[in-house]
Amino acid sequence: MAMLAACLAAAVYFTGVFWLEVAVNESSHGAGSSPSPSCRADAPDGDISRIASYRVSHLPLQFECVLDDGTTYASSEFPGSLTAFPAILAVSAALLTASARSDQPIRHRTHSPNRQFDP
């Protein structure tokens, strides 16, 4: 179960990274790339002329739009769940692993002084 949670965490995180890289590609190539398509829908007061650039963060996964006055806002195309869900799954995997290891009995070897070992 822990392995499944860890694999799901990695899959969700890397899916988010893929979407983030697609948005970066859209924002840096082509005739309609400026201002960034990911920033247009969430522009304050609908004024896309104030969008100066964008920033990308991989931890947490976030696409931030930078306005001409230096303020930023997060694009709604990348919700917080893209970082929160993999983090919750990773913590769950760690807890499940710790729980599984604590359930294993501890085996103590007893050695007889008269016992001989074969080489």
Side-chain angles (χ1 to χ4, degrees):
M1 194 64 141
M3 183 64 91
L4 177 63
C7 289
L8 281 174
V12 172
Y13 178 77
F14 287 114
T15 300
V17 169
F18 174 76
W19 287 344
L20 194 62
E21 294 304 319
V22 167
V24 168
N25 189 38
E26 286 180 345
S27 301
S28 58
H29 296 91
S33 64
S34 184
S36 172
S38 297
C39 296
R40 292 180 195 164
D42 302 320
D45 302 325
D47 187 11
I48 63 170
S49 65
R50 294 190 55 215
I51 301 170
S53 65
Y54 63 90
R55 285 190 288 208
V56 176
S57 170
H58 287 90
L59 198 59
L61 290 175
Q62 195 169 37
F63 191 95
E64 290 183 325
C65 306
V66 181
L67 300 176
D68 54 4
D69 62 359
T71 58
T72 62
Y73 63 94
S75 172
S76 63
E77 287 187 21
F78 302 97
S81 62
L82 283 178
T83 300
F85 190 56
I88 291 168
L89 284 170
V91 169
S92 298
L95 291 174
L96 286 168
T97 300
S99 174
R101 288 185 182 226
S102 69
D103 286 344
Q104 292 178 353
I106 299 173
R107 297 180 185 166
H108 295 283
R109 276 193 157 172
T110 57
H111 295 288
S112 171
N114 296 330
R115 186 173 180 198
Q116 295 181 357
F117 296 100
D118 294 325

